[in-house]
Amino acid sequence: MILLTVLFLCIISTYSASVKGHTTGPSLNNDKLYKFAYSAEVYVDQVKASLQKSAGYRISSGVDVNLLWRNPDNDDDQLVKITMKDVQVENVNERPADKNIFKGKSTEKIIGKEYLEALQRPIMVELVRGKVRALFLISHCVLSFCKNTTQWGSKAQIVHKDRYTCIWKDFVQDLKAEKQIQFVMRDVLLSLLLNAYYMFVFLVFFFQFLQIKTFYSYQNEPGFTQNIKRGLASLFQLQLHSGSSREVDISGKCDTTYHVRQDQVTKIKDLDSCEIEKKGFTSHNKILDISTKATSATVYVLEDSFIKSIKAEENFVFALNYRRKTGAKIVSKQRLELKSVQAGTGLIAAKQVAGVIKTLDPNYVAIALEAEPVKSECKKCPSLSEHWKNIREQMHPDKLSKPDAAKSFLSFIQNIRKATKEEILKIIKSENKELLPQVVDAVTSAQTPESLEAMLEFLDFKDASTFILQERFLYACGFASHPSETLLKSLTEKFKGDVASQEIRETLVIVMGALIRKLCDRDGCKLPAVVEAKRLILNRLEKASKDDNVQMYLLALKNALLPEAIPVLLKYAESGEGPISSLAATALQRYDPSFLTKEVKETMNRIYHQTRKIHEKTVRTTAAAILLNSNPSYMEVKNILLSIGELPMEMNKYMLSMIQDILRFEMPSSKTVRQVLKDMRAHNYDRFSKMGSSSAYTGYITRGPDVSSTYSLDILYSGSGILRRSNMNIRVFDRSTDLHAIQVVLEAQGLESIIAATPDEGEENLDSFAGMSAILFGFQLRPVTFFQGYGDLMSKMLSATGDPMNVVKGLVLLTDFLQEIQLQSGPTASAEFMGGLAIDISGGMEFSLWYRESKTNVKNRVAMFVAGNTEVDSFFVKTGMETTLETETALDFISTVQFSQYPFLVCMQMDRVDSPFRTHMTKYESLPSGRRYTARRGKAATLAGNEYPLHQENSNMCKKVFGAKSDSAGGWF
């Protein structure tokens, strides 16, 4: 049934045999020895630095090339012997003797006698049509007539008799098979469609199962010497006509394009397309991640259809997206130049390659041309326990707002990633209560199977006494840079089980939502653990009867941002009461505008205009913000503008400030707003002169070539002058994406009874409540409650100390990037960038009935440390560059309200203290013996503190507030 398949392959083989005498690749002359000069160089430096000052090294040698065997049936099938001689290792750039780590050392001492012998041991490469024949090349088939028929077994087994026999000679020899593989077909005239189908099945079967390796070397040679020789052998692959193909070399199976012009051939290899085993990971958000660019080009100069010279160059560039000056590059160069042609040995007479190899040296075996993973071990590195002893003092809670804490945090993570579960547990179980939360941060952030197993074994969620450690573990999971399905599955199982603390139970499901989104963003939405977690959250939300449970699952959906959750969120936003409605609306606000369908907009319009029921101001203003930020229509904007003047007084002022902020900051909907404002019914003095204290303002923190950041402050008051909601946001964005870095929301309700004021419409029955909610780097944290109910309010007021309440405090892994690279010249390179943040966010509210004043204060204390290490490791020498940057700052947002008179005096302040900023760069070269060369450079600067400007009306109000305080203070004496 597969006769056409065999005929097709045989025709191709026959065509290959027919081209005898016509070579399509480089051809070596018989009885000649080609002597080349070879060098392989690596450079590591900053992205824009000159190579003349880079760290690096050069391996140089002579290379002898001669032809051992040529296929008598195909001149393009050649077996070539390649031998490296007189290997030398030296600096890639000239250096004084005291800075030359190779000075006074022979190559044998640098590399080692055994390794040098292996490096200079010859290799054999079979070249077919100018390519190293590596995978699935079947040369010739010979048909012989037989009598009986055959059939293709149902289990993809070949059941043969004697009618037609197809013998794959080279294939059998290469696999050292003892029997001939026979295919006997039953019918020559079967349907073409059916035969095409079987041909496809046949090819798929063989292309997935069979492998021929024709790079010959000693099997047990050290990996790094094999890779260097693989890199040299890969240079001999080329084709003499322009075109593209998938080509296998040391880099793997890559898309390769050839451009031929007279005696020059240029080979461009797409390194991003290479199929090879790689180790590495990236950060979840692109702004916090690393940009990479990799290029490879090889230029061949030919003479008499053979290689005269080769120049190959690879470039790998890495840059921190939020500061592109922090980056590195690796340059790998290879040069091969023909020096002379001498008389050589004659060809070996044989029909098959295997016979030639066996004649030369039976120790040679066929191995893959792709590089094998090689990693040198650190012999003098401290153990995990030793490392922890050296850094533990820097992780003390009192030092968490310093860059040294973030630096120690990152180095600890690196060591944990190399540790076993037992080593990790030993530290966790022996540490004291003050430092244990920081250990939990680091162990969880390591994100290895061993670290996760250690944490799950250590933490007992049935024990409420370890609440702080459980919370730190869960928050670290929520900030995970590259979470695994196993992590989500483990947390889901914990949530289904017994959890002693209700707050931890809430945090568990909130973190599950964050992990769902991160896994879905990496095309993991169909993973079993993700499917199970989504189903659990949605089903339990549907069955939830208590408000606390409903809010818990809504917070999880606010993190998950599932498209299928939008109808559920719409239902709770429109029909929910109080905090539930507000939470559902803010969850919808986090979705990308592309998900906000016509149904979403219709619901938001109903909420804002209260066409079905009365809603709180916080929900209505959120609905308006969703509409205005999702490509609103002309009529939607017009209806919002026409509503101003009909709203409660403070809401009037807030909506007016929102419209003015859209226009001033040139937001996407500003064009539509301007069109509507041409209508005098929407744009008139009566509407735009409304009084009040509420406001909305957006401004820039920084505007740079790489990223920019903005801050926004929205404050909504009740009609009685008491804070209803304060919303501070900091966003970072570049040309393609953005990051919601920080959001701190202070919300209060039902406080009018304190000053005997009348609640606003729709808010008459609200319980007294104040709390704070935070989003940090896109992750919604569990909200914090200051007080709940009038009794709790009075208790907190009487016992208040004025100290802020902590929202989040700990260590966060922001940037987490690792990429291992196989250089074409043989060595292995790696680029690792990590960014850690030590953060302390707290907030508080103060009331003074005597002075009829309220104050809210949000304090943000952060310290950041970023470390990058780009290294080339050749086992006998390492070269690389370490780069760091560090900074610390504090950002305070203070809102003061005096309600002793009307209109109320409201002053908002947003201050940043002086911020030191330091960068360091170290280039190095080192030998295993300990000899090391380093070159260091650093810069330090201070970013001056700043009070960020708000609107002029706020400035005037602040003068009155602090002027009134000054007068009041002076009146006592």
Side-chain angles (χ1 to χ4, degrees):
M1 297 175 67
I2 57 170
L3 176 61
L4 288 187
T5 300
V6 179
L7 286 175
F8 173 79
L9 292 175
C10 289
I11 291 170
I12 296 299
S13 300
T14 304
Y15 171 77
S16 297
S18 71
V19 298
K20 181 178 179 180
H22 174 69
T23 61
T24 57
S27 178
L28 287 79
N29 291 326
N30 303 346
D31 307 325
K32 298 293 183 181
L33 175 66
Y34 298 83
K35 300 188 79 67
F36 290 86
Y38 174 68
S39 67
E41 303 171 346
V42 293
Y43 303 80
V44 183
D45 210 330
Q46 293 177 299
V47 176
K48 294 185 178 181
S50 169
L51 294 183
Q52 280 71 31
K53 296 183 179 180
S54 300
Y57 59 88
R58 177 189 298 115
I59 299 175
S60 58
S61 74
V63 174
D64 290 354
V65 179
N66 64 292
L67 182 66
L68 296 176
W69 171 85
R70 192 189 300 276
N71 191 331
D73 297 323
N74 181 7
D75 287 348
D76 280 336
D77 190 358
Q78 310 164 77
L79 183 65
V80 179
K81 179 181 177 182
I82 303 174
T83 308
M84 296 181 70
K85 293 187 174 182
D86 303 322
V87 177
Q88 301 291 324
V89 183
E90 57 191 340
N91 287 115
V92 73
N93 291 311
E94 291 187 10
R95 288 220 178 86
D98 60 335
K99 295 182 178 181
N100 187 346
I101 63 172
F102 304 110
K103 183 70 175 179
K105 284 184 174 289
S106 66
T107 303
E108 184 175 307
K109 287 185 178 180
I110 295 171
I111 297 179
K113 182 179 180 180
E114 179 185 348
Y115 295 115
L116 182 59
E117 289 177 355
L119 188 61
Q120 296 185 147
R121 187 177 295 125
I123 57 172
M124 265 73 77
V125 178
E126 183 181 6
L127 291 171
V128 179
R129 291 184 173 273
K131 306 290 182 72
V132 176
R133 187 167 73 167
L135 298 177
F136 320 124
L137 295 175
I138 304 174
S139 61
H140 307 294
C141 80
V142 180
L143 288 177
S144 63
F145 181 82
C146 301
K147 296 181 179 180
N148 298 323
T149 62
T150 188
Q151 59 182 346
W152 186 267
S154 61
K155 295 184 179 180
Q157 298 175 343
I158 304 171
V159 181
H160 59 84
K161 295 190 178 177
D162 293 322
R163 186 176 177 188
Y164 297 103
T165 304
C166 179
I167 304 173
W168 306 89
K169 290 186 177 180
D170 287 356
F171 171 74
V172 173
Q173 290 293 331
D174 287 338
L175 292 182
K176 299 181 180 180
E178 295 180 356
K179 296 181 179 180
Q180 296 178 342
I181 299 178
Q182 300 176 337
F183 296 91
V184 184
M185 283 63 65
R186 181 174 61 182
D187 195 342
V188 177
L189 300 177
L190 286 175
S191 164
L192 288 177
L193 181 61
L194 194 59
N195 277 280
Y197 169 77
Y198 278 111
M199 180 172 67
F200 173 77
V201 173
F202 174 86
L203 290 174
V204 169
F205 175 78
F206 271 85
F207 273 59
Q208 290 182 348
F209 181 72
L210 303 177
Q211 182 177 6
I212 300 176
K213 306 171 182 177
T214 54
F215 170 83
Y216 296 95
S217 183
Y218 273 38
Q219 187 170 16
N220 296 323
E221 273 193 20
F224 92 92
T225 60
Q226 293 276 36
N227 285 346
I228 290 175
K229 291 191 283 188
R230 284 182 172 104
L232 174 59
S234 295
L235 290 178
F236 287 86
Q237 292 199 125
L238 79 155
Q239 65 185 37
L240 300 183
H241 59 86
S242 297
S244 299
S245 64
R246 293 282 287 172
E247 187 172 289
V248 177
D249 65 5
I250 185 173
S251 304
K253 192 173 185 180
C254 313
D255 291 337
T256 308
T257 303
Y258 286 88
H259 301 282
V260 180
R261 184 177 180 183
Q262 296 180 348
D263 290 332
Q264 180 172 302
V265 179
T266 301
K267 177 167 70 173
I268 306 297
K269 183 163 56 179
D270 182 1
L271 295 175
D272 293 331
S273 70
C274 293
E275 296 176 7
I276 192 171
E277 183 181 350
K278 296 179 181 178
K279 179 182 177 182
F281 40 77
T282 60
S283 301
H284 173 254
N285 188 276
K286 290 183 179 179
I287 287 181
L288 300 175
D289 203 18
I290 305 298
S291 292
T292 63
K293 184 178 181 181
T295 59
S296 173
T298 306
V299 177
Y300 297 83
V301 176
L302 306 179
E303 188 174 78
D304 296 331
S305 297
F306 191 62
I307 297 167
K308 182 179 181 182
S309 67
I310 304 173
K311 291 183 179 180
E313 182 172 325
E314 288 180 310
N315 287 270
F316 300 88
V317 177
F318 308 90
L320 196 62
N321 284 341
Y322 50 91
R323 191 178 188 271
R324 294 188 177 274
K325 289 182 180 179
T326 301
K329 68 178 175 184
I330 299 172
V331 179
S332 172
K333 294 184 177 182
Q334 292 172 278
R335 292 183 178 88
L336 188 69
E337 186 174 356
L338 181 64
K339 292 299 184 180
S340 64
V341 181
Q342 303 176 6
T345 58
L347 297 181
I348 298 174
K351 291 187 177 182
Q352 304 297 333
V353 173
V356 179
I357 298 297
K358 188 174 182 180
T359 301
L360 289 171
D361 189 341
N363 291 318
Y364 278 91
V365 295
I367 62 176
L369 188 57
E370 300 98 319
E372 61 181 282
V374 178
K375 189 68 176 180
S376 60
E377 295 182 1
C378 183
K379 297 180 180 179
K380 297 181 180 180
C381 292
S383 66
L384 184 64
S385 297
E386 292 171 339
H387 179 78
W388 172 242
K389 289 178 182 178
N390 294 331
I391 66 167
R392 66 190 300 273
E393 290 303 318
Q394 303 299 329
M395 308 263 288
H396 194 276
D398 295 339
K399 299 180 180 180
L400 279 190
S401 59
K402 299 297 180 182
D404 283 346
K407 178 181 179 181
S408 300
F409 171 64
L410 297 182
S411 65
F412 194 30
I413 290 174
Q414 288 177 315
N415 279 270
I416 293 170
R417 285 175 171 169
K418 305 170 188 175
T420 63
K421 171 186 168 183
E422 290 70 25
E423 290 175 317
I424 297 170
L425 281 171
K426 181 180 178 181
I427 292 179
I428 296 175
K429 291 179 179 180
S430 62
E431 198 47 77
N432 61 46
K433 293 183 178 180
E434 283 188 325
L435 292 170
L436 196 50
Q438 287 73 260
V439 175
V440 170
D441 288 341
V443 172
T444 310
S445 298
Q447 301 172 73
T448 64
E450 293 80 8
S451 64
L452 177 59
E453 289 176 11
M455 287 307 310
L456 293 175
E457 181 176 321
F458 174 72
L459 293 174
D460 182 6
F461 285 84
K462 298 177 184 178
D463 182 7
S465 64
T466 58
F467 170 86
I468 293 176
L469 300 180
Q470 294 172 31
E471 185 178 54
R472 293 286 277 265
F473 164 70
L474 292 174
Y475 279 159
C477 291
F479 290 119
S481 55
H482 50 279
S484 64
E485 182 187 10
T486 303
L487 174 59
L488 178 58
K489 183 178 180 180
S490 300
L491 296 188
T492 304
E493 291 174 354
K494 291 293 181 183
F495 181 76
K496 291 178 179 178
D498 294 333
V499 180
S501 169
Q502 178 60 25
E503 291 179 335
I504 292 299
R505 184 173 176 80
E506 292 174 4
T507 308
L508 258 171
V509 74
I510 290 170
V511 171
M512 286 166 56
L515 296 179
I516 289 171
R517 176 166 56 89
K518 290 185 177 183
L519 289 169
C520 283
D521 287 346
R522 294 177 183 266
D523 300 322
C525 252
K526 295 183 180 179
L527 294 171
V530 177
V531 173
E532 170 64 18
K534 289 194 295 183
R535 182 167 55 243
L536 183 146
I537 293 171
L538 292 171
N539 288 347
R540 295 204 177 185
L541 174 59
E542 185 180 357
K543 298 175 182 178
S545 56
K546 295 181 179 180
D547 288 352
D548 289 346
N549 289 337
V550 172
Q551 291 183 58
M552 176 175 70
Y553 295 116
L554 288 177
L555 285 167
L557 293 180
K558 187 175 181 180
N559 272 330
L561 298 179
L562 299 172
E564 59 265 39
I566 289 178
V568 179
L569 295 173
L570 289 175
K571 181 186 74 172
Y572 282 101
E574 187 170 18
S575 60
E577 298 293 338
I580 292 177
S581 177
S582 179
L583 178 55
T586 56
L588 288 165
Q589 195 174 14
R590 294 195 66 195
Y591 280 83
D592 186 90
S594 61
F595 288 101
L596 303 181
T597 60
K598 180 181 178 181
E599 180 186 1
V600 176
K601 289 188 175 185
E602 289 175 351
T603 305
M604 294 302 105
N605 273 298
R606 289 197 300 268
I607 291 174
Y608 177 75
H609 296 290
Q610 302 188 123
T611 55
R612 290 188 177 177
K613 61 174 290 188
I614 302 297
H615 293 277
E616 297 177 30
K617 293 192 297 294
T618 53
V619 182
R620 296 180 67 188
T621 53
T622 302
I626 292 173
L627 288 170
L628 292 171
N629 291 326
S630 56
N631 191 25
S633 66
Y634 179 91
M635 287 306 300
E636 285 172 340
V637 173
K638 184 175 181 179
N639 288 334
I640 289 174
L641 282 169
L642 290 175
S643 70
I644 297 177
E646 308 298 328
L647 307 170
M649 185 181 62
E650 285 298 331
M651 188 175 171
N652 272 327
K653 182 62 176 178
Y654 180 85
M655 290 303 303
L656 182 59
S657 294
M658 185 188 294
I659 295 296
Q660 291 171 334
D661 194 42
I662 289 172
L663 294 172
R664 184 185 57 79
F665 205 69
E666 293 291 338
M667 295 182 185
S669 59
S670 60
K671 184 177 180 180
T672 306
V673 172
R674 283 194 170 88
Q675 291 176 345
V676 175
L677 290 178
K678 294 178 182 179
D679 187 342
M680 294 302 295
R681 290 175 297 175
H683 186 198
N684 55 59
Y685 178 80
D686 181 57
R687 269 181 229 290
F688 278 75
S689 62
K690 298 301 181 183
M691 296 180 62
S693 303
S694 301
S695 64
Y697 186 86
T698 303
Y700 279 103
I701 297 178
T702 59
R703 300 182 75 173
D706 303 323
V707 295
S708 298
S709 58
T710 62
Y711 66 94
S712 63
L713 295 173
D714 299 348
I715 295 188
L716 176 64
Y717 292 96
S718 67
S720 56
I722 296 177
L723 176 71
R724 191 66 178 83
R725 184 184 64 200
S726 166
N727 189 351
M728 181 190 74
N729 290 275
I730 296 178
R731 293 182 177 272
V732 184
F733 58 92
D734 60 13
R735 295 179 181 178
S736 60
T737 187
D738 71 324
L739 170 65
H740 198 173
I742 296 176
Q743 180 189 74
V744 179
V745 179
L746 290 170
E747 194 161 355
Q749 65 180 35
L751 304 183
E752 285 77 12
S753 58
I754 299 175
I755 57 174
T758 303
D760 292 339
E761 181 186 20
E763 302 180 357
E764 297 86 355
N765 300 319
L766 295 179
D767 291 334
S768 298
F769 166 83
M772 180 161 59
S773 173
I775 291 175
L776 189 60
F777 300 105
F779 171 40
Q780 169 71 58
L781 308 179
R782 179 175 54 81
V784 175
T785 299
F786 296 146
F787 58 82
Q788 179 79 52
Y790 185 77
D792 190 24
L793 164 62
M794 298 310 297
S795 174
K796 296 284 176 64
M797 288 180 63
L798 293 173
S799 61
T801 62
D803 295 333
M805 180 178 290
N806 181 261
V807 179
V808 60
K809 185 175 186 177
L811 297 158
V812 179
L813 182 61
L814 289 183
T815 297
D816 194 15
F817 175 90
L818 174 65
Q819 183 175 339
E820 292 192 350
I821 306 156
Q822 178 58 56
L823 300 181
Q824 182 172 291
S825 56
T828 300
S830 64
E832 183 177 22
F833 288 83
M834 300 179 72
L837 191 73
I839 189 166
D840 184 354
I841 298 179
S842 58
M845 299 179 67
E846 298 178 21
F847 297 94
S848 174
L849 295 178
W850 181 263
Y851 292 106
R852 299 180 71 83
E853 180 180 278
S854 69
K855 179 181 289 188
T856 61
N857 191 351
V858 177
K859 296 178 178 291
N860 301 273
R861 302 285 183 270
V862 295
M864 186 174 184
F865 188 89
V866 178
N869 185 23
T870 308
E871 183 176 81
V872 179
D873 185 356
S874 294
F875 184 77
F876 57 89
V877 60
K878 289 184 179 182
T879 183
M881 184 183 73
E882 297 175 349
T883 180
T884 66
L885 67 88
E886 59 183 87
T887 186
E888 56 183 301
T889 190
L891 186 67
D892 291 346
F893 168 56
I894 305 169
S895 174
T896 305
V897 182
Q898 290 186 351
F899 46 86
S900 58
Q901 57 179 303
Y902 195 85
F904 313 117
L905 298 179
V906 180
C907 173
M908 294 181 294
Q909 297 167 275
M910 187 171 174
D911 302 334
R912 177 175 56 80
V913 301
D914 290 350
S915 305
F917 185 86
R918 294 176 289 272
T919 61
H920 296 91
M921 182 272 295
T922 302
K923 290 182 282 189
Y924 63 88
E925 299 160 0
S926 66
L927 296 176
S929 62
R931 185 180 289 190
R932 184 179 176 93
Y933 159 77
T934 57
R936 295 184 174 89
R937 192 173 64 188
K939 292 182 180 180
T942 300
L943 303 177
N946 185 29
E947 182 173 350
Y948 291 99
L950 300 175
H951 46 81
Q952 186 60 44
E953 185 178 339
N954 180 71
S955 300
N956 297 336
M957 197 78 77
C958 288
K959 292 178 182 178
K960 293 181 181 180
V961 169
F962 292 110
K965 281 190 173 184
S966 181
D967 294 342
S968 175
W972 287 96
F973 302 98

